[in-house]
Amino acid sequence: MENANISNKTALTPKFDDGVEIWYWFLRGIIGLAILAGNGPVIYLIATRHRLQTTSNWFILSLSVADLLVGVFVIPVSTSCSLLTNCNDAVMILFFDLLLFVSIGNMCAMTADRYLSVIKPLTYFQNMTSSRVFQWIVAAWMIPISFSVIPFAWITSKSAERKKRAEMIYGTTQIVSFNILPCVVMLLIYGHIFVVSRKHSRQIRALCVEHNAGRSRALNSRRMKQERSATRVFGLVLLIFVLCWLISAYRHFCSYFKLSCPMSSGTVLSSRLLMVANSAINPFIYALLKEDIKREVKRKLCRRRGEVEAFTSSLQSGSR
């Protein structure tokens, strides 16, 4: 059974009678609800609050939409295919890979945005116009979509040899282009970003102290805090993504290159849960660590609390 699990690439639709534990389905359902509860409000806040419609937040909005699709389609459909009906696993794998590629594409765009903001801060706002942000987001979606539809060229082929050769070439390209290379490059870039950010922070603090510019120092401090917040959040999102997909990438590597990779059933199930859990973790990182979104969430909660207290007070007054 275990060899079958590993060879079936991501194995998105494990059958209930294949030894899959009940805890797997319970946690999968909880993760699905967390994805909806987390990404839905983030998308709503950014889309409706003008002060949140900044360059970095547009990339967050795009990634949140991709994460939301995991909770809306992938988890319910794959669970239904496992417990209620038989589905085409090949199509399910292609769709899930599409969302993975879109997430990676959005994180590459985020990384490029953060790199420009730190390396070229004086020209960043001139270069990162609304139209350029839109172009980057479109590219982050269209390039993965274009790559994901390639397997349809041979998925219905009757030639087993041609199909096997095409899948090997496609799989190798996928692992290198959308798993290994982007993650390694983004981690290296973020390492460089943090080094440069610390250097800039020390230089700005030194200039502010030297010239004793009170108002300028306050403005620079606020801006530095926002930029550090965005960089820290995107760096953490990338790190969580790599950790959640590490076991899965290892399984993909073993599958495509026909390697013997012994792995327990619990590890395989855990890797599947981590794959979808990544979409549930991201919105809570935004809400807890990104300053502007955290501030907006607090305002929303305080406003709602005030409305509840006012409603309760009116009920008490009416009862008197």
Side-chain angles (χ1 to χ4, degrees):
M1 172 192 160
E2 199 49 48
N3 292 334
N5 281 335
I6 294 176
S7 63
N8 189 17
K9 199 181 177 187
T10 50
L12 295 177
T13 56
K15 303 305 178 185
F16 188 76
D17 55 358
D18 283 347
V20 179
E21 302 292 343
I22 190 66
W23 61 263
Y24 172 80
W25 300 108
F26 176 76
L27 290 179
R28 192 179 176 89
I30 295 297
I31 290 172
L33 293 176
I35 291 173
L36 299 179
N39 288 284
V42 168
I43 294 172
Y44 171 78
L45 286 175
I46 296 176
T48 58
R49 299 294 189 272
H50 181 72
R51 53 180 166 265
L52 289 182
Q53 295 173 3
T54 61
T55 299
S56 60
N57 285 344
W58 285 125
F59 291 114
I60 286 179
L61 177 66
S62 181
L63 182 58
S64 295
V65 171
D67 287 337
L68 186 67
L69 291 177
V70 174
V72 172
F73 292 108
V74 172
I75 291 181
V77 172
S78 60
T79 302
S80 175
C81 290
S82 300
L83 302 179
L84 302 176
T85 184
N86 292 322
C87 301
N88 190 321
D89 283 346
V91 175
M92 281 294 302
I93 289 172
L94 288 178
F95 183 67
F96 198 83
D97 280 348
L98 167 61
L99 295 181
L100 167 63
F101 298 160
V102 168
S103 296
I104 292 177
N106 277 282
M107 284 189 290
C108 287
M110 288 178 176
T111 302
D113 171 67
R114 288 298 88 201
Y115 186 76
L116 288 178
S117 71
V118 172
I119 303 301
K120 297 184 177 180
L122 298 179
T123 60
Y124 170 73
F125 289 101
Q126 295 176 350
N127 294 328
M128 287 305 295
T129 60
S130 299
S131 60
R132 180 159 296 181
V133 172
F134 178 75
Q135 291 171 3
W136 284 21
I137 291 176
V138 170
W141 281 81
M142 294 308 300
I143 293 175
I145 289 174
S146 301
F147 186 83
S148 297
V149 300
I150 292 177
F152 284 103
W154 65 78
I155 198 171
T156 57
S157 175
K158 296 181 180 179
S159 173
E161 182 179 353
R162 176 174 175 267
K163 188 175 180 180
K164 182 179 179 180
R165 184 171 61 252
E167 287 179 347
M168 178 60 70
I169 296 173
Y170 176 80
T172 304
T173 305
Q174 170 190 327
I175 290 176
V176 174
S177 302
F178 286 90
N179 289 82
I180 299 175
L181 190 60
C183 290
V184 170
V185 171
M186 284 190 289
L187 286 172
L188 291 175
I189 289 176
Y190 266 107
H192 184 55
I193 286 174
F194 280 114
V195 171
V196 175
S197 295
R198 290 174 63 87
K199 180 180 177 182
H200 286 177
S201 297
R202 288 195 297 267
Q203 290 174 344
I204 292 174
R205 281 196 298 267
L207 287 173
C208 290
V209 171
E210 180 180 349
H211 296 286
N212 196 23
R215 184 176 178 182
S216 175
R217 181 167 57 183
L219 291 174
N220 284 328
S221 177
R222 190 181 305 113
R223 185 168 178 177
M224 283 168 49
K225 187 176 181 181
Q226 291 177 349
E227 291 300 316
R228 284 200 305 268
S229 172
T231 303
R232 183 173 64 247
V233 165
F234 291 149
L236 184 57
V237 167
L238 173 61
L239 181 61
I240 295 295
F241 176 85
V242 172
L243 292 177
C244 287
W245 283 90
L246 197 58
I247 302 177
S248 177
Y250 173 69
R251 292 172 55 212
H252 291 191
F253 186 85
C254 293
S255 173
Y256 277 123
F257 295 104
K258 309 299 181 184
L259 301 177
S260 177
C261 302
M263 196 174 295
S264 68
S265 176
T267 303
V268 174
L269 295 180
S270 297
S271 73
R272 295 181 188 137
L273 289 176
L274 287 173
M275 288 159 61
V276 293
N278 177 244
S279 297
I281 296 171
N282 287 340
F284 295 99
I285 295 176
Y286 311 145
L288 295 175
L289 295 180
K290 196 165 188 302
E291 293 296 332
D292 54 349
I293 295 181
K294 180 170 67 174
R295 191 162 49 245
E296 197 63 38
V297 169
K298 288 181 179 179
R299 287 174 180 166
K300 186 72 174 176
L301 292 176
C302 291
R303 190 179 301 117
R304 183 57 57 89
R305 181 180 177 183
E307 292 174 355
V308 171
E309 290 177 351
F311 179 73
T312 304
S313 178
S314 64
L315 289 179
Q316 293 175 349
S317 300
S319 62
R320 291 173 186 173

